[in-house]
Amino acid sequence: MKPLEGITVLDFTQAFSGPYCAMNLGDYGARVIKVERVEDGDQSREWGPYADNGNSGYFALYNRNKESIAIDLSHSEGKAIIRKLYAESDVVLENFKYGTMDKLGLGYETAKEINPEIIFASITGFGQTGPLKKNTAYDNVIECMCGYMEITGYPDGPPLRSGASVGDSYTGITMFLAIVLACYDKKLTGRGRRLDVAMLDTMFAAVEEAILAYSLTDSPVSRSGNAKPREIVPYDTYECADGIIAVGINDEDMWPDFCKAIGMPELTDDPLYADNDMRCRNFESFTAMMKNVMKKESKEYFMERFSSYNIPASPLLLPLETLANQQFIHRNMVLDIEDSNVGKYKAFGIPIKFSRTPGEVKKSSPLLGENTIEIMKSVGYTDQMVAKLIEEEIVGAAESRCMEK
């Protein structure tokens, strides 16, 4: 039995943060019923990259382990279906703009009246309170607003957003944790609740020492490339004769071995670099010296040297190169998935490893409306009633689309 088996999640989310949260819930055994628009479903079904058949790989990646029901939520009959599903669900998850669920007549108060123990989880850009609550936000806007972008990049270059949409993934993981905590508390107390997670809040909590440094010293912290010149030296990327490696040490005990690894044992007691405080003060001269040293040999040479002294280091890998990395493969972090929408593709695995009842990818992403009929029948609709609602385009079913084709 999986950790979240027996939990039913009614998932209204689209795009990234919400689907990523719901995917994690599904990976650990929750039943996730994805509610999609009748016409074209989750907006990310239109996002690239695309498979040869034109379907979205992006949607496939973040919507595994889910069922799909397609409903017109603007129609009274569509709302009636949702109310029936509220009675059978443990968790409602949504990432619409602030107030959308209330406007539909399907907000927390409605859900709580139907099912007093329900957990109603809302992801938004700015949260359910505050002067910006009605504003729309995307990852780049949030990174810019919370200071994350200002501390990313090189000092002589412009601020940069992160290479991946960390605001979305971090917010999704934060809500995943919130839902698991709420489910645990519900098991103890029998009480549901409203959960409010904002992208801005989660990213603000991730700016690390920038806020702390300013509050303690009144000195602003700005971008420093791949280094941490105020905290740890060496901790940077360096260009070897044939490419880039990252290397760092986290305590003084490593410093003598680092010096031996680069072939400069005399640096160990050099008054300019003998301890981390001095190396931070002399960061520029240290970095210039390291650039000269590292250019003389290959990545393989330095990786062997650092490995022999147990110094943390890695060559720069392209995303595709990670698929062949034996550590990822050994940890089952590279999966081959046969998907209903895009066919066979490679995906990331499940990062949390359990000694028993581990997470699992049981099914691929769903076709639009793949489970509409069975879900509706499970809450009391007959075949005739479902057929009528399909004909009226109040609900959609994958079976009916296949028949039309």
Side-chain angles (χ1 to χ4, degrees):
M1 184 173 179
K2 303 300 180 188
L4 298 179
E5 210 164 308
I7 301 294
T8 297
V9 180
L10 194 59
D11 172 26
F12 292 90
T13 65
Q14 299 187 76
F16 186 177
S17 60
Y20 188 67
C21 173
M23 180 202 76
N24 279 277
L25 293 166
D27 285 352
Y28 292 99
R31 181 191 183 194
V32 179
I33 300 173
K34 185 175 181 70
V35 180
E36 300 192 69
R37 296 172 295 184
V38 171
E39 301 83 6
D40 46 15
D42 181 337
Q43 62 182 266
S44 70
R45 286 185 182 271
E46 305 298 321
W47 293 3
Y50 304 103
D52 290 341
N53 62 5
N55 287 341
S56 168
Y58 194 100
F59 176 86
L61 184 64
Y62 294 108
N63 288 280
R64 66 194 188 198
N65 284 334
K66 301 177 188 179
E67 303 170 28
S68 172
I69 180 171
I71 305 177
D72 181 354
L73 295 179
S74 68
H75 198 284
S76 59
E77 286 286 350
K79 292 180 175 66
I81 297 166
I82 296 300
R83 292 189 182 99
K84 288 180 180 291
L85 289 170
Y86 278 174
E88 305 297 325
S89 299
D90 300 285
V91 178
V92 173
L93 176 62
E94 59 98 4
N95 67 341
F96 291 125
K97 292 180 182 178
Y98 169 83
T100 298
M101 293 295 280
D102 289 329
K103 289 178 183 176
L104 289 169
L106 299 172
Y108 176 53
E109 294 304 321
T110 298
K112 184 172 65 171
E113 187 175 328
I114 295 168
N115 181 352
E117 295 183 5
I118 206 158
I119 296 164
F120 199 98
S122 297
I123 293 174
T124 54
F126 301 101
Q128 300 297 308
T129 59
L132 299 180
K133 64 184 180 184
K134 295 183 180 180
N135 287 22
T136 302
Y138 284 99
D139 182 90
N140 64 328
V141 174
I142 295 299
E143 288 194 33
C144 192
M145 184 176 291
C146 73
Y148 198 94
M149 192 179 287
E150 166 58 24
I151 62 173
T152 305
Y154 284 90
D156 55 352
L160 297 174
R161 69 174 289 270
S162 55
S165 297
V166 294
D168 284 295
S169 58
Y170 188 37
T171 302
I173 285 290
T174 300
M175 181 58 91
F176 169 57
L177 173 61
I179 289 171
V180 171
L181 290 171
C183 286
Y184 178 76
D185 186 74
K186 176 183 171 181
K187 183 177 180 180
L188 297 177
T189 67
R191 299 175 64 186
R193 70 204 59 229
R194 178 74 182 270
L195 302 179
D196 171 12
V197 171
M199 287 180 67
L200 186 64
D201 295 348
T202 55
M203 286 302 288
F204 184 64
V207 250
E208 208 176 346
E209 82 278 5
I211 302 298
L212 178 63
Y214 184 77
S215 67
L216 292 177
T217 68
D218 289 331
S219 298
V221 171
S222 188
R223 49 200 173 277
S224 56
N226 295 315
K228 302 189 78 169
R230 292 170 298 273
E231 298 87 27
I232 307 172
V233 177
Y235 184 101
D236 208 341
T237 54
Y238 301 102
E239 190 167 350
C240 302
D242 58 350
I244 293 172
I245 66 171
V247 62
I249 64 175
N250 63 3
D251 63 57
E252 285 303 310
D253 290 342
M254 289 184 173
W255 173 241
D257 285 339
F258 177 87
C259 296
K260 295 173 189 173
I262 64 172
M264 300 182 70
E266 68 275 12
L267 280 183
T268 301
D269 299 316
D270 189 307
L272 291 177
Y273 312 121
D275 60 43
N276 189 65
D277 286 343
M278 292 303 299
R279 293 191 295 274
C280 288
R281 289 180 199 174
N282 296 289
F283 170 75
E284 291 185 6
S285 65
F286 179 85
T287 300
M289 177 183 64
M290 284 294 293
K291 284 182 178 179
N292 290 329
V293 170
M294 301 297 280
K295 282 182 180 178
K296 295 177 182 178
E297 300 288 351
S298 68
K299 292 184 295 182
E300 183 178 3
Y301 170 84
F302 279 114
M303 284 304 301
E304 287 179 358
R305 295 288 294 172
F306 288 134
S307 178
S308 67
Y309 286 98
N310 200 27
I311 302 295
S314 174
L316 179 68
L317 296 181
L318 299 173
L320 281 177
E321 291 178 308
T322 64
L323 298 177
N325 186 294
Q326 288 303 308
Q327 182 66 19
F328 288 119
I329 293 170
H330 182 83
R331 300 275 297 169
N332 294 320
M333 286 305 298
V334 179
L335 302 180
D336 289 305
I337 296 179
E338 189 67 45
D339 186 81
S340 301
N341 287 288
V342 300
K344 192 172 184 178
Y345 75 100
K346 290 188 181 293
F348 54 79
I350 299 172
I352 303 173
K353 310 301 183 187
F354 283 31
S355 61
R356 60 183 183 85
T357 66
E360 178 185 10
V361 179
K362 296 183 295 185
K363 69 181 293 293
S364 74
S365 66
L367 299 172
L368 178 57
E370 179 179 318
N371 310 98
T372 296
I373 294 173
E374 64 189 79
I375 292 169
M376 291 185 65
K377 289 172 71 173
S378 74
V379 291
Y381 287 86
T382 65
D383 288 328
Q384 292 76 17
M385 294 165 72
V386 174
K388 183 174 184 294
L389 291 171
I390 291 174
E391 183 180 352
E392 294 173 348
E393 298 184 344
I394 296 169
V395 301
E399 291 90 339
S400 65
R401 287 184 173 81
C402 293
M403 289 170 61
E404 289 170 6
K405 293 178 182 179

